[in-house]
Amino acid sequence: MAKKKFGADIIVDSLNNHGVNYVFGVPGAKIDRLFERLELPAADQKSPKLIVTRHEQNAAFMAQGFARITRQPGVVIATSGPGVGNLATGLMTATAEGDPVVALGGQVPRKDLYRLTHQSTKSVALFESITKYAVEVQDENNLSEILANAFVAAQDGKKGASFVSIPQDVDDAEMPEGAQALPKAEDPRMGAASLQDIKWLAEQIKAAKLPVILVGQRGSDDESVAALNTLLHETNLPVVETFQGVGAIGRDLEDKAFFGRIGLFRNQVGDRLLKRSDLVITLGYDAIEYEPRNWNAEKNLRIVALDTAAAQIDNNFAPERQLIGNLAETLTYLQAEIAGYEIKPESQAILDQFLAELKAADEPDFQPAPGLNHPLAIIKALQDHVTDDMTVSNDIGSHYIWMARHFRSYKPRHFLLSNGMQTLGVGLPWAMAAALVRPNAKSVSVSGDGGFFYSGQELATAVALGLNIVSIVWNDDHYYDMVKFQEEKKYGSHAGVKLAPIDVVKYAESMGAKGLRVETPDQLNAVLDEAFATEGPVVVDIPVDYSHNIDLAESMVAEIG
């Protein structure tokens, strides 16, 4: 007699067919059969590894972190009502920032969908505006095809989140004999952009005085970065990264091609270089990473867009031509057309000055208060301890501005930042995902004391999983400082930014992790030595001097010309 198969079995089989290795989530009654199948598969079954978290939002962040690192869909599951509601921030962030995530949400039985009953929520309506695909399964026989389309939607064009609502009686439904999950649909293969357009771009580069490449997140996949670095070895072109295009320039090209990052406040070397350019070539750039009104405020830049999907046009971003296609292949053809290209001598002098300014900006320019650490000193110490194979996951806060500007990373998707939504709390969950995906290298999260406690309860999950994570907490004496210093710049005062104090070290120890504190600046490197030599989760509390943070928003390019 054939073994009974339920809707939950079809879901697990679909996940297996799509190569899903991990599923993150929080259980509940409306989706509990699926959790049973995931954690307790039969002897003849296989299933992805289930990672149970302490909050659905953190589960969504972990799925997003997995997706950003691997460029494959991360999967998150939550139960009905408040369970799916708690996924909203993570899915919103994934969609905005181009990370493929498939979310499965429990739902009340179909007969209760239109009643005011326990945890009945119009969850599809909730997610329609913040995902690429939001569907509720009405017939268990359509379950596999809906899941297949959710995976396709998450990865098609600009990647993002999909949401599938699964009523309890669909999860529990007994499937017809012989029911099978659909196999994974092969991803469509995109070729290079138009060869005619590539030849045209090559001529524009040769004719320009100061062409600049601006790399965004879609241009930071492994293949595109490899092709870009090959092109840069054969030519002399300057590159600016967005905060989410980090790692596009290899260590061996740093002094030749890397001219900083842009992403917040128009006052960086990268901003100034773009303003001087007479040809900006965007590579996988998305406007949400850093709005064109910031880096093209005067609306006078000549722009050519290389991407995998058509750009959204606005008043400050109207590309003269768009080269749509596989970025790596497009760059390879472009390399053949411009091999040996050199920047004109007068423009090289400008680049040399910008390189000198970029290096000078990494040096501390004030003496921190007694017992506190200069932000750049923390970054230098961290840089000395992080290898190229390690992953650094950056949370949001004042530390994020300092890190995004000054911390160097030489491999794509090894320095993770949220700059589309600037979502607080992503640091630790992303670092946990990195520790799972890259178990042979230490994973590092960097947070403020505000952001750390947004998702700090997952430290216990990291301990249970034995993850090798070093969590660096920049402690500014319990403020939401990124808001604080901007309020002070605007109003001369601050309000609503003071937090209740929590002892970071004691908190870490209560979770079973190791807690360390930098008591004086001269201890910084020794404490980090101990942290990076420790197996399992470690939290390091570092008091920081943010008294000069208001300077981060000073001297905008528009002001200095």
Side-chain angles (χ1 to χ4, degrees), residues 189-195 197-199 201-202 205 213 219 221-235 237 281 283 306 323 325-340:
R189 174 70 179 168
M190 179 181 284
S194 160
L195 296 182
D197 284 345
I198 293 172
K199 289 179 180 292
L201 175 58
I205 292 172
I213 297 175
D221 62 279
D222 291 341
E223 294 78 12
S224 297
V225 166
L228 175 64
N229 279 255
T230 299
L231 181 147
L232 294 173
H233 276 109
E234 296 292 328
T235 63
L237 284 167
I281 304 160
L283 182 67
L306 276 61
L323 279 63
N326 180 282
L327 293 176
E329 292 188 18
T330 298
L331 289 171
T332 299
Y333 281 111
L334 180 63
Q335 175 202 332
E337 296 290 334
I338 63 170

Side-chain angles (χ1 to χ4, degrees), residues 367-374 378 475 517-524 541-545:
Q367 182 65 39
L372 301 183
N373 295 270
H374 193 294
I378 301 174
N475 195 328
R517 180 175 288 114
V518 177
E519 300 288 355
T520 57
D522 62 313
Q523 297 177 351
L524 179 58
D541 183 20
I542 306 180
V544 60
D545 187 340

Side-chain angles (χ1 to χ4, degrees), residues 153-465:
Q155 298 175 92
D156 181 50
K158 179 183 175 180
K159 301 176 190 297
S162 294
F163 174 75
V164 178
S165 175
I166 303 170
Q168 184 178 14
D169 55 328
V170 171
D171 187 43
D172 286 338
E174 187 173 337
M175 302 301 293
E177 187 174 344
Q180 299 289 327
L182 291 172
K184 179 183 183 295
E186 285 301 314
D187 297 332
R189 174 70 179 168
M190 179 181 284
S194 160
L195 296 182
Q196 181 180 349
D197 284 345
I198 293 172
K199 289 179 180 292
W200 172 86
L201 175 58
E203 293 305 314
Q204 307 314 303
I205 292 172
K206 293 172 184 176
K209 293 181 180 179
L210 185 53
V212 177
I213 297 175
L214 173 59
V215 181
Q217 183 176 338
R218 284 194 295 279
S220 65
D221 62 279
D222 291 341
E223 294 78 12
S224 297
V225 166
L228 175 64
N229 279 255
T230 299
L231 181 147
L232 294 173
H233 276 109
E234 296 292 328
T235 63
N236 181 20
L237 284 167
V239 176
V240 175
E241 299 172 343
T242 68
F243 287 0
Q244 289 176 216
V246 174
I249 303 302
R251 188 180 287 272
D252 59 335
L253 286 164
E254 181 178 23
D255 292 334
K256 173 186 177 184
F258 179 72
F259 286 83
R261 304 188 188 114
I262 56 173
L264 188 65
F265 305 132
R266 194 189 184 209
N267 58 9
Q268 294 301 285
V269 166
D271 291 295
R272 296 175 62 195
L273 175 56
L274 289 174
K275 186 176 181 180
R276 295 290 296 268
S277 174
D278 59 343
L279 178 64
V280 177
I281 304 160
T282 63
L283 182 67
Y285 160 80
D286 195 292
I288 200 169
E289 298 179 67
Y290 186 48
E291 296 94 332
R293 64 172 177 257
N294 291 321
W295 58 271
N296 187 24
E298 294 79 17
K299 308 177 187 176
N300 61 353
L301 291 180
R302 188 182 179 208
I303 300 169
V304 177
L306 276 61
D307 214 328
T308 58
Q312 182 185 72
I313 307 300
D314 71 25
N315 292 327
N316 302 82
F317 191 72
E320 183 174 332
R321 199 171 292 199
Q322 297 188 52
L323 279 63
I324 307 301
N326 180 282
L327 293 176
E329 292 188 18
T330 298
L331 289 171
T332 299
Y333 281 111
L334 180 63
Q335 175 202 332
E337 296 290 334
I338 63 170
Y341 170 80
E342 293 287 339
I343 290 282
K344 294 174 175 57
E346 59 271 24
S347 296
Q348 186 60 53
I350 295 171
L351 294 180
D352 291 343
Q353 178 61 36
F354 281 147
L355 273 178
E357 291 180 20
L358 193 65
K359 291 180 179 179
D362 289 338
E363 297 301 321
D365 59 356
F366 69 87
Q367 182 65 39
L372 301 183
N373 295 270
H374 193 294
L376 292 177
I378 301 174
I379 291 172
K380 183 181 186 307
L382 187 59
Q383 196 88 61
D384 290 342
H385 286 82
V386 172
T387 67
D388 289 355
D389 290 332
M390 293 181 186
T391 307
V392 177
S393 301
N394 213 54
D395 215 317
I396 296 301
S398 291
H399 71 281
Y400 136 93
I401 308 173
W402 288 98
M403 287 286 292
R405 293 182 175 195
H406 298 282
F407 186 81
R408 300 295 176 92
S409 181
Y410 305 98
K411 283 187 173 183
R413 301 185 312 284
H414 279 69
F415 183 27
L416 313 182
L417 301 102
S418 169
N419 204 49
M421 282 291 156
Q422 291 187 343
T423 302
L424 198 59
V426 297
L428 179 58
W430 283 2
M432 293 170 66
L436 290 168
V437 174
R438 297 169 175 159
N440 296 322
K442 189 79 74 173
S443 181
V444 181
S445 75
V446 182
S447 304
D449 55 328
F452 177 75
F453 289 109
Y454 252 58
S455 49
Q457 67 268 43
E458 300 304 341
L459 188 59
T461 309
V463 169
L465 294 170

Side-chain angles (χ1 to χ4, degrees), residues 3 41-46:
K3 181 184 173 183
D44 60 344
Q45 290 179 315
K46 69 170 186 173

